[in-house]
Amino acid sequence: MRTLLPSALLALLLATQPLHAREQLSTLPVPPSGVLGVGEAQLTPAFWIGLQSQPDKVILSRAQIEAQNAKLFAQDRSMHELAKLPATLSAAQVRGWIEDLAHPPAKPLYDVDGKPVPQATLKQIVDARALDAIPASQKTRFGLVVRRAALRTFPTTLRVFSHPGDTDIDRFQETAEFPGTPVVIAHATRDGRWLFVVSPRYAAWTEAKNIAEGSRDAVLGYADKTPYRIVTGAKVYTVYTREAPAVSQVELDMGTRVPVLTDLAADQAVNGQTPYAAHVIELPVRKADGSLAFSPALIQKNADTAADYLPLTARNLITQAFKFLGERYGWGHAYDGRDCSGFVSDVYRSMGVQMPRNTSSQGVSPAFAKRTFTEASTHEQRMQAAHALQLGDMVYIPGHVMMSLGQWQGQPWVIHDVLGMSYRKADGSTARVTLNAVSVTPLLPMLYGKDSTFIDHMTSNVRMRP
């Protein structure tokens, strides 16, 4: 039987501990899930919307968002404004993109069965980049992503891991890009099966089957076509069609923009089906020779899409974030999901706000209003910042980002895509909970390692406000 301390004695012991140690001991109720203070009500967007005094007040106008996006591309070196790339690419530029992505692996890596990946295999993968085949100069080539495409560190589908038994975080997985994303095709493997591509916010390897090559005008013009639909659900799929397999059940993730075709007769069948109960959209497809073409496709009118980006409001921030609640954590957008930085950027993208892909870039971007923390920042300063967090603020610690849900019960709460959480229980012992999903948690009690909290490791807070 566990012996419980009398409340007066426990209070005395806590009062004699340093401030940060006392704050690690949580008195929040512990439900069966083990996630502190989170019951069924807190797992609904309505609960958090109800805490907002003006849930429908616009935080940033469309013009302010466009100005913010322009500032991001102008000032943040992790972003790539494809329209401003030169007509020809030098070998130094292309080699720089490829080598900046990753160096050859220096530490042991393991496959899905926990077996060491032979050095010969790793060397073959690295050599497949064919750096010696990069021409001194080449015409800048453009393409569009035609399906949800994994972007990889090296030109391989081999999944590798840092430790035996760790089969979630594939160290060769970088991110994913969605249909309609423009890219520059900078290089290819000797067999042509892999392309090194530069998207607006990443540069990595992807299988050639994911890209259709077209003219500069056709590729860059696709994103400007009007009218359009914005995917506002976690993901939607085009209607099944056997007549056009390339556009059948295509996955479109939150924030994806697709042009709508308006020059078709209302009674004209599209891919063997009446379009009257669907939006007729235009998607890029890859022809047999790898070149770009476009095809009509259908999205059901009852699917979660909108005629424009959603207004940036408290209600929409909460509603959009909660559409991912419970989705499996997917490092680099693996598992048909997303990771912590992908989660926050996809939520904001549905409201038209662009963000860098990775936490390391998001948290330091010169384009964002933020408060930064250093080793000189005191625990008290960090706590003050935590209690000042507003809905929609991003909280960065090394390798992780959380989106603030605001203040409740005198402390900040967050929604984030997270592997797990640890916290000190009221008796001083440590609880560890496996989450591995988009989850709602309190911020203050969460431990970073054994003896410090997330708060103690905050690097920055980013605020999307005027």
Side-chain angles (χ1 to χ4, degrees):
M1 242 178 113
R2 186 172 53 189
T3 302
L4 297 178
L5 291 172
S7 58
L9 178 56
L10 179 60
L12 178 62
L13 289 175
L14 295 181
T16 60
Q17 294 180 11
L19 180 63
H20 67 277
R22 281 186 275 135
E23 285 162 350
Q24 289 177 12
L25 299 178
S26 178
T27 57
L28 290 169
V30 182
S33 68
V35 182
L36 282 171
V38 179
E40 289 300 315
Q42 289 74 46
L43 294 178
T44 65
F47 176 85
W48 302 98
I49 292 171
L51 299 180
Q52 307 303 312
S53 60
Q54 295 179 295
D56 297 310
K57 181 181 178 180
V58 173
I59 298 170
L60 286 175
S61 69
R62 188 82 219 120
Q64 288 173 313
I65 290 173
E66 290 175 355
Q68 169 71 56
N69 291 342
K71 182 180 178 183
L72 177 68
F73 278 93
Q75 297 184 2
D76 195 315
R77 295 185 63 185
S78 72
M79 306 295 288
H80 311 110
E81 195 163 4
L82 303 188
K84 292 187 177 180
L85 289 176
T88 59
L89 299 175
S90 68
Q93 174 70 82
V94 175
R95 179 182 285 269
W97 278 327
I98 297 173
E99 293 184 333
D100 284 348
L101 177 62
H103 298 291
K107 296 180 179 180
L109 293 170
Y110 302 86
D111 64 17
V112 292
D113 298 318
K115 298 177 181 179
V117 179
Q119 286 299 313
T121 300
L122 293 175
K123 183 179 185 303
Q124 185 178 28
I125 290 170
V126 171
D127 290 347
R129 299 180 300 171
L131 298 183
D132 60 324
I134 300 174
S137 65
Q138 59 178 300
K139 179 183 177 181
T140 303
R141 299 156 56 199
F142 293 84
L144 285 174
V145 176
V146 298
R147 59 170 62 85
R148 196 182 202 269
L151 266 60
R152 307 283 289 168
T153 311
F154 296 101
T156 179
T157 58
L158 178 67
R159 301 178 70 229
V160 299
F161 311 93
S162 297
H163 307 284
D166 169 19
T167 56
D168 275 334
I169 300 182
D170 175 3
R171 295 300 175 180
F172 285 172
Q173 176 71 14
E174 294 290 334
T175 185
E177 291 291 4
F178 306 142
T181 301
V183 298
V184 161
I185 302 169
H187 191 43
T189 53
R190 287 186 174 88
D191 61 10
R193 295 176 58 189
W194 287 83
L195 301 175
F196 190 88
V197 298
V198 181
S199 77
R201 60 179 191 163
Y202 222 81
W205 293 93
T206 194
E207 292 182 90
K209 66 183 181 182
N210 298 329
I211 307 297
E213 183 172 355
S215 68
R216 179 185 187 280
D217 289 346
V219 168
L220 299 184
Y222 179 81
D224 295 327
K225 289 185 177 182
T226 56
Y228 52 84
R229 301 294 297 180
I230 302 297
V231 175
T232 47
K235 57 187 68 174
V236 303
Y237 296 86
T238 59
V239 173
Y240 170 81
T241 170
R242 65 177 181 81
E243 291 83 0
V247 294
S248 177
Q249 294 185 309
V250 175
E251 179 181 327
L252 303 172
D253 288 68
M254 183 180 287
T256 301
R257 170 176 166 161
V258 288
V260 174
L261 295 175
T262 59
D263 57 354
L264 299 176
D267 60 351
Q268 179 180 341
V270 174
N271 301 334
Q273 178 183 330
T274 174
Y276 94 102
H279 301 290
V280 184
I281 64 169
E282 184 179 54
L283 288 179
V285 295
R286 176 183 167 93
K287 295 164 65 175
D289 63 358
S291 63
L292 174 66
F294 295 98
S295 173
L298 299 177
I299 295 179
Q300 293 171 223
K301 286 190 175 179
N302 60 4
D304 196 346
T305 70
D308 202 351
Y309 292 104
L310 299 174
L312 180 52
T313 65
R315 184 186 303 275
N316 284 336
L317 280 169
I318 295 168
T319 301
Q320 294 304 99
F322 271 76
K323 289 177 182 178
F324 291 119
L325 186 71
E327 181 184 75
R328 173 69 181 253
Y329 178 91
W331 171 266
H333 274 70
Y335 297 157
D336 205 27
R338 61 217 79 238
D339 53 25
C340 60
S341 53
F343 162 66
V344 298
S345 61
D346 286 354
V347 168
Y348 269 99
R349 196 163 62 110
S350 68
M351 286 160 268
V353 178
Q354 297 294 323
M355 297 181 67
R357 173 60 182 86
N358 291 337
T359 56
S360 57
S361 299
Q362 290 177 2
V364 300
S365 178
F368 295 154
K370 59 186 173 297
R371 178 173 179 177
T372 58
F373 304 92
T374 68
E375 292 182 357
S377 301
T378 67
H379 181 77
E380 288 69 25
Q381 289 172 331
R382 294 169 181 272
M383 287 296 298
Q384 290 172 2
H387 284 295
L389 288 170
Q390 298 179 21
L391 173 71
D393 290 351
M394 268 77 69
V395 182
Y396 292 89
I397 63 174
H400 188 54
V401 57
M402 301 157 274
M403 192 181 91
S404 169
L405 288 170
Q407 308 289 323
W408 178 56
Q409 292 188 331
Q411 62 178 297
W413 293 73
V414 292
I415 182 169
H416 50 145
D417 208 344
V418 63
L419 294 174
M421 68 178 295
S422 299
Y423 57 88
R424 294 269 192 266
K425 294 192 289 187
D427 63 3
S429 63
T430 301
R432 294 178 176 84
V433 182
T434 298
L435 296 172
N436 221 15
V438 176
S439 308
V440 173
T441 68
L443 174 59
L444 299 186
M446 294 192 70
L447 295 178
Y448 186 103
K450 182 180 179 182
D451 298 315
S452 59
T453 65
F454 274 27
I455 295 296
D456 295 315
H457 291 267
M458 278 197 309
T459 56
S460 66
N461 297 338
V462 169
R463 175 166 293 173
M464 296 293 181
R465 302 274 172 167

